[in-house]
Amino acid sequence: MPTRTILVIEDEPHIIEVVRDYLEQAGFRVLEARDGETALSLTRREHPDLVVLDLMLPGGLDGLDVCQQIRRDPVLVETPIIMLTARVELVDRLVGLELGADDYITKPFSPREVVARAKAVLRRVEGHSTGTSSLKVGELSMDLRGRVVTVDGRAVELTPTEFDLLAAMMREPGRVFSRAQLVDGIYDVAYQGYDRAIDSHIKNLRQKIEPDPRKPTYVQTVYGVGYRLAIRSQVVDWESR
Ligand code: CA
């Protein structure tokens, strides 16, 4: 079994330290973040297999904000999240649809409990997600874990933003996305002027994946609305290997 990466988001250094020790002893690779902004950029860059997220964080984003942003990101939406909280009044709402965590642990906790819950959540999630690691539409194939895209068997180099845009569309071929919906799925586009930024990313993406970028057959413009990925064949979920 490959090493699983767990991102621990917590601002109290002694908690990070002890949780990291126990998780590493259990064979996990551990990343850490001490505030919400760092946590989100690490999640987007590293795609951890699991996020352990403290509810109370310093700065502009608390644990609930981080959780919601992960759940709104089409690439990261399935990342399992275990919430740490000392606020017992919240625990009923933490798990499930309302706030989006997969499990929670109340403070104070033993680090052994974190290891046990992490293993349980990963087992549950990985049991459910066989086949979601790859997408295929026509001659376009995408390996979501390795972040590799091939067109007709030929690998194409995409920027992280182009990859995330294409992933959002490949998850729902045929769906029309407005530019505002697409910008939700990516992260490094400045809020101002995002329409033009999306258009420019789409143009670059077409140069790389379309047989003839001037007559796109994959990424189609829907006038007055946005873009959609043409359905050239059904999405095939490959067997996970
Ligand atoms: Ca805290």
Side-chain angles (χ1 to χ4, degrees):
M1 187 159 140
T3 303
R4 298 282 180 265
T5 299
I6 300 182
L7 170 61
V8 181
I9 305 162
E10 164 66 88
D11 57 304
E12 289 159 68
H14 66 283
I15 295 186
I16 288 234
E17 196 176 328
V18 70
V19 167
R20 172 192 272 279
D21 279 352
Y22 273 75
L23 288 172
E24 285 180 344
Q25 275 170 36
F28 294 104
R29 173 176 172 246
V30 179
L31 306 170
E32 61 182 60
R34 302 194 177 195
D35 63 76
E37 274 85 6
T38 311
L40 278 173
S41 61
L42 258 180
T43 306
R44 284 160 177 155
R45 199 174 73 213
E46 296 281 341
H47 294 253
D49 299 289
L50 173 71
V51 169
V52 176
L53 174 58
D54 185 34
L55 190 64
M56 304 293 275
L57 295 171
L61 296 176
D62 68 12
L64 290 182
D65 299 323
V66 172
C67 186
Q68 284 171 355
Q69 295 219 21
I70 290 174
R71 289 289 174 257
R72 276 202 298 250
D73 184 320
V75 174
L76 303 175
V77 60
E78 288 172 9
T79 308
I81 297 173
I82 296 176
M83 199 73 93
L84 304 176
T85 180
R87 295 178 60 188
V88 286
E89 76 273 19
L90 268 181
V91 298
D92 287 341
R93 299 169 54 212
L94 281 176
V95 176
L97 284 180
E98 190 173 359
L99 298 178
D102 295 89
D103 202 353
Y104 66 87
I105 299 170
T106 50
K107 290 182 172 182
F109 55 82
S110 98
R112 280 197 185 85
E113 187 180 5
V114 179
V115 174
R117 297 291 188 91
K119 286 180 174 172
V121 167
L122 282 170
R123 258 198 313 275
R124 197 166 75 216
V125 170
E126 292 176 356
H128 286 175
S129 69
T130 49
T132 56
S133 60
S134 300
L135 301 168
K136 190 163 169 61
V137 178
E139 298 300 324
L140 275 181
S141 297
M142 174 175 280
D143 171 355
L144 290 166
R145 289 184 200 277
R147 293 179 73 81
V148 174
V149 173
T150 58
V151 183
D152 206 5
R154 174 180 55 92
V156 288
E157 295 266 330
L158 299 185
T159 65
T161 302
E162 290 160 7
F163 184 94
D164 292 342
L165 275 176
L166 186 59
M169 291 190 286
M170 283 185 76
R171 283 179 187 279
E172 297 179 75
R175 175 183 160 186
V176 177
F177 290 89
S178 69
R179 291 175 180 82
Q181 286 165 335
L182 286 172
V183 87
D184 270 351
I186 60 175
Y187 52 90
D188 70 354
V189 175
Y191 183 74
Q192 295 293 325
Y194 67 80
D195 275 17
R196 282 175 55 201
I198 289 287
D199 290 346
S200 132
H201 286 299
I202 292 283
K203 185 175 169 222
N204 293 336
L205 186 55
R206 281 173 170 158
Q207 294 289 341
K208 294 176 180 177
I209 67 170
E210 296 286 355
D212 179 356
R214 286 164 306 175
K215 295 175 189 160
T217 53
Y218 284 109
V219 181
Q220 299 178 332
T221 302
V222 181
Y223 289 100
V225 187
Y227 297 98
R228 76 171 162 218
L229 189 70
I231 306 175
R232 287 159 58 112
S233 67
Q234 71 199 84
V235 179
V236 178
D237 282 349
W238 293 357
E239 301 291 332
S240 57
R241 285 174 292 178

